[in-house]
Amino acid sequence: MSELNWKEVLDLLEKGEIRSAEKKDGKWVANVAVKEAILASFKAGTLTEFSHEHFHGFVDKHNLPPQKFTPEQGVRMVPGGTSVRRGSYIAKGVILMPPAYVNVGAYVDEGTMVDSHALVGSCAQIGKNVHLSAGVQIGGVLEPVGLAPVIIEDNAFIGAGAVIVEGIQVLKGAVIAPGVILSKGVPVYDCVNERMLEKGEPIPENAIVVPGTRPVNSKLAWAKDMGLNMNCALIVKFRDEKSDASLELEQFLR
């Protein structure tokens, strides 16, 4: 990888031949050389105005323009403000609803839906048949280069307005309810197995996660006396192969 320049890396990323993160021995790790090449592309770029039939009046680095798709690629990008940046991969069968944004280094696999106002941040990895509902924010992680980005594995369902940042990983089949915030600073309580996940620990496969609250700790005595609570996330159930994600989620949110 070290012998490739940033242009070659961006080309290979768009073809899906290399990725900015990969799973090794069951653990997702950053591809440092790829992320370094992406950062090099920013340094090499100069500001320019892009203007053609689909978009105009935008100013960005000259070497990171939005991608254009053809019907032969099998990607459905509905008109209305969606943009897929250079150096990201969109697989066949992906649907992009407007307005949505996919940043450099991201990978979106087959059959995934990226709904309106959804963000797929730089280097984020989205698996097959994932549903990113309206307003979902998947954070990007370019720096530090050794930090793995946000990972959403196959068949996960991410509810409207959910925010997943700081390299959090959501494993296969998990269901994240609308409005859930997942970051390294938000504790996740597994109410099924009666444990708190370690800081940054992946959301387990097939977990159903809903928004929750927890009492403030004793260091904030006044807030504690006032009965104030802080944000957290709760795993309330684990799906089986036959369960319907949206129906089960609706049941737990009632």
Side-chain angles (χ1 to χ4, degrees):
M1 178 64 66
S2 58
E3 69 274 9
L4 297 179
N5 62 35
W6 60 261
K7 185 179 184 303
E8 291 173 304
V9 168
L10 294 180
D11 288 341
L12 291 171
L13 283 168
E14 288 185 12
K15 296 174 183 176
E17 294 180 9
I18 60 172
R19 297 174 69 161
S20 54
E22 49 202 349
K23 204 168 190 179
K24 293 183 177 179
D25 300 322
K27 183 179 179 181
W28 284 93
V29 295
N31 189 328
V32 173
V34 167
K35 294 177 77 174
E36 288 176 338
I38 293 172
L39 291 171
S41 74
F42 283 109
K43 294 178 181 178
T46 57
L47 291 180
T48 188
E49 181 178 357
F50 293 99
S51 181
H52 63 62
E53 58 179 330
H54 296 301
F55 51 84
H56 59 86
F58 294 98
V59 176
D60 196 4
K61 300 287 187 175
H62 79 283
N63 52 353
L64 292 166
Q67 293 185 44
K68 294 187 289 184
F69 296 94
T70 64
E72 291 72 28
Q73 291 173 267
V75 174
R76 180 182 167 204
M77 187 163 77
V78 180
T82 293
S83 184
V84 176
R85 202 177 195 186
R86 168 103 162 99
S88 55
Y89 173 72
I90 308 296
K92 184 176 181 180
V94 169
I95 299 173
L96 299 156
M97 298 300 290
Y101 187 71
V102 181
N103 209 346
V104 61
Y107 187 103
V108 183
D109 215 337
E110 296 178 0
T112 285
M113 160 73 83
V114 181
D115 214 334
S116 300
H117 296 279
L119 164 70
V120 180
S122 53
C123 299
Q125 306 290 297
I126 312 297
K128 292 180 172 65
N129 303 314
V130 170
H131 189 107
L132 301 181
S133 302
V136 164
Q137 304 293 292
I138 304 297
V141 180
L142 261 178
E143 295 183 286
V145 292
L147 184 64
V150 175
I151 308 291
I152 311 294
E153 290 193 343
D154 297 353
N155 301 309
F157 179 93
I158 314 298
V163 176
I164 305 174
V165 295
E166 296 181 350
I168 292 295
Q169 300 176 17
V170 176
L171 302 187
K172 293 180 181 179
V175 179
I176 310 300
V180 169
I181 298 174
L182 296 175
S183 74
K184 291 182 178 178
V186 175
V188 180
Y189 295 89
D190 183 344
C191 301
V192 178
N193 296 301
E194 300 181 355
R195 60 179 290 262
M196 185 172 74
L197 271 60
E198 298 292 332
K199 185 176 181 179
E201 181 180 343
I203 300 299
E205 291 187 12
N206 297 317
I208 295 179
V209 185
V210 302
T213 60
R214 61 190 174 99
V216 297
N217 63 42
S218 56
K219 294 180 180 179
L220 301 171
W222 180 84
K224 188 175 181 66
D225 290 342
M226 293 293 291
L228 303 181
N229 293 314
M230 298 177 69
N231 178 51
C232 70
L234 307 175
I235 297 174
V236 292
K237 188 180 177 181
F238 287 84
R239 299 170 59 196
D240 58 39
E241 293 181 357
K242 297 180 181 179
S243 59
D244 182 283
S246 59
L247 291 179
E248 289 207 12
L249 186 58
E250 181 179 354
Q251 176 185 353
F252 276 100
L253 292 176
R254 285 182 181 274

